[in-house]
Amino acid sequence: MRELIIDTISYPIKGKFTISRGSKTHVEAVLVYITQHDKTIRAECVPYARYGETVSKVIFQMEEMRSDIENCQFTRDDLCKKMLPGAARNALDCALFALEAQQKNIPVWQLAGLQKPLHKVKTAYTISLDTPDIMAQKAKEAATKYALLKIKLGAEEDEERMIKIRQNVLENTQLIADANEGWQCDDLERYLHCAEKNNFSMIEQPIAADEDDFLIDIKKSCSLNVLLCADESFHSYEDLDKIAAKYDMINIKLDKTGGLTEALKIQKKAQNLNLHIMIGCMLGSSLAMAPAFIIAQNAMIVDLDGPLLLSEDQEPALSFEGSYIYPPDKLLWG
């Protein structure tokens, strides 16, 4: 007999977190607990308004699956067939994944068919959207501790932001940026040239997802050394073929793919399509990051800094040391 428990939790953010679509001071997450044979596994997801998700909708989707989840014969493959990708499926899938590994008495990485995780992985640290001067100062401070900074863009004065940030950080600091669909097609080439000139190695989701056919022409006409990464344009396995013509890289987030099971399939196919891999996250706790760490080993860029931006976290929390994140404690997940 399995038992499913669904709960909610709110994590306060250090200060506030701002992107091109707005600001937030708290992260609203949904927790699931699956108990079987006196063993309980937990997982977490973060509903994302950009995709029409709310806490109440995610809970409703989970409740619709209750009888299936509590059926001991129900598998992760069954879950992927019955639920669409999204936050609700992510939490259920990650919980079932860890439960299966525990029942088979093997680590989750082995169940996933992967090599044993590295001792540590370098992760980006995010600089929230603000005025150019404030962002430059925050980047300067962060660069003394973190070797990879992710800069939130997508507003007026983005050229000034990129210039001032590069001027204020250590020379060997790697810079990537995320415009969160905030740039217009007419301005794109100018922004990309500014990014290259200031040694930004990657731009994530520069324009709106429904306008990104424009990137096909940009890639043909504009010879740049800046990688373009799909985030809002990319969700599931079925998106990969159309993405490959527009982007150089995809951002795999478990709350988008609907869990670790599909993320593993996506990672394999993306590599066959010569798409680079970024492992990212919604803003969430160590519990939300832990399953993503499993697939971060072979990624070009890892962005799992969510817990660093919160003032409260799950226990035991992930261990961070400067730019590096260490494998999760099995008491956290997996």
Side-chain angles (χ1 to χ4, degrees):
M1 177 78 182
R2 282 182 188 159
E3 181 184 10
L4 171 67
I5 297 175
I6 304 169
D7 200 1
T8 60
I9 190 167
S10 179
Y11 299 105
I13 296 171
K14 294 176 182 176
K16 65 179 180 179
F17 186 77
T18 302
I19 65 172
S20 61
R21 286 189 288 271
S23 301
K24 60 170 65 176
T25 58
H26 288 75
V27 175
E28 308 301 329
V30 180
L31 295 170
V32 299
Y33 302 83
I34 297 179
T35 299
Q36 185 175 346
H37 298 173
D38 297 325
K39 295 180 178 179
T40 300
I41 295 294
R42 59 180 180 162
E44 177 182 294
C45 67
V46 179
Y48 199 39
R50 168 64 177 79
Y51 306 129
E53 295 180 329
T54 63
V55 168
S56 60
K57 285 182 179 179
V58 164
I59 292 175
F60 178 79
Q61 291 169 344
M62 290 177 174
E63 288 291 356
E64 286 191 311
M65 298 300 300
R66 177 177 292 278
S67 62
D68 287 315
I69 295 295
E70 292 184 340
N71 176 356
C72 293
Q73 304 305 312
F74 191 75
T75 68
R76 291 179 288 113
D77 288 337
D78 295 328
L79 183 70
C80 289
K81 292 174 183 175
K82 294 200 70 170
M83 290 189 79
L84 293 173
R89 195 178 80 182
N90 174 35
L92 294 174
D93 177 83
C94 289
L96 287 174
F97 208 111
L99 182 64
E100 182 180 347
Q102 189 179 78
Q103 290 170 341
K104 293 180 177 179
N105 197 28
I106 59 174
V108 287
W109 58 264
Q110 187 174 335
L111 179 61
L114 301 174
Q115 294 181 337
K116 185 176 181 179
L118 301 174
H119 180 55
K120 59 184 179 180
V121 172
K122 183 169 73 174
T123 182
Y125 180 80
T126 303
I127 304 298
S128 181
L129 185 62
D130 211 315
T131 67
D133 287 336
I134 290 176
M135 290 183 71
Q137 180 59 36
K138 288 184 177 179
K140 181 179 180 179
E141 295 169 359
T144 63
K145 186 175 182 180
Y146 304 107
L148 170 60
L149 300 182
K150 178 177 174 179
I151 310 301
K152 287 292 186 179
L153 299 175
E156 293 182 7
E157 301 180 308
D158 273 350
E159 288 176 288
E160 185 179 353
R161 287 183 177 88
M162 287 187 277
I163 292 168
K164 286 190 173 182
I165 287 170
R166 175 46 75 188
Q167 289 174 342
N168 278 270
V169 300
L170 301 172
E171 186 175 338
N172 60 348
T173 301
Q174 182 183 357
L175 296 177
I176 59 177
D178 183 4
N180 285 113
E181 303 179 279
W183 291 349
Q184 303 301 310
C185 293
D186 290 346
D187 300 321
L188 181 58
E189 188 168 346
R190 176 165 54 89
Y191 282 139
L192 291 177
H193 278 294
C194 181
E196 181 179 50
K197 185 176 181 181
N198 288 283
N199 200 23
F200 279 70
S201 58
M202 184 273 282
I203 303 294
E204 188 179 345
Q205 200 63 48
I207 58 178
D210 59 3
E211 296 180 341
D212 68 359
D213 285 347
F214 183 77
L215 298 179
I216 298 174
D217 293 332
I218 282 289
K219 289 183 71 175
K220 289 178 180 177
S221 63
C222 191
S223 178
L224 292 168
N225 292 319
V226 180
L227 297 175
L228 298 180
C229 180
D231 183 5
E232 285 87 346
S233 290
F234 165 72
H235 299 268
S236 64
Y237 185 87
E238 286 70 25
D239 295 332
L240 284 171
D241 289 318
K242 65 180 181 181
I243 287 296
K246 307 173 189 179
Y247 295 91
D248 309 295
M249 173 180 280
I250 57 169
N251 187 345
I252 298 176
K253 295 178 177 177
L254 300 189
D255 277 318
K256 289 193 305 177
T257 67
L260 187 55
T261 300
E262 178 146 336
L264 289 163
K265 290 171 53 183
I266 288 170
Q267 190 174 41
K268 184 175 181 179
K269 183 175 179 180
Q271 290 167 341
N272 291 337
L273 291 171
N274 294 317
L275 283 166
H276 299 297
I277 302 294
M278 175 180 183
I279 302 300
C281 63
M282 306 306 183
L283 197 57
S285 77
S286 288
L287 181 57
M289 305 302 119
F293 184 91
I294 302 301
I295 55 171
Q297 313 302 310
N298 299 316
M300 175 179 280
I301 295 174
V302 176
D303 178 26
L304 297 178
D305 67 337
L308 296 175
L309 305 174
L310 305 179
S311 57
E312 295 178 10
D313 196 5
Q314 287 282 349
E315 292 293 341
L318 284 170
S319 178
F320 290 85
E321 183 179 26
S323 292
Y324 291 93
I325 176 175
Y326 289 83
D329 188 297
K330 64 181 181 180
L331 294 178
L332 174 64
W333 180 86

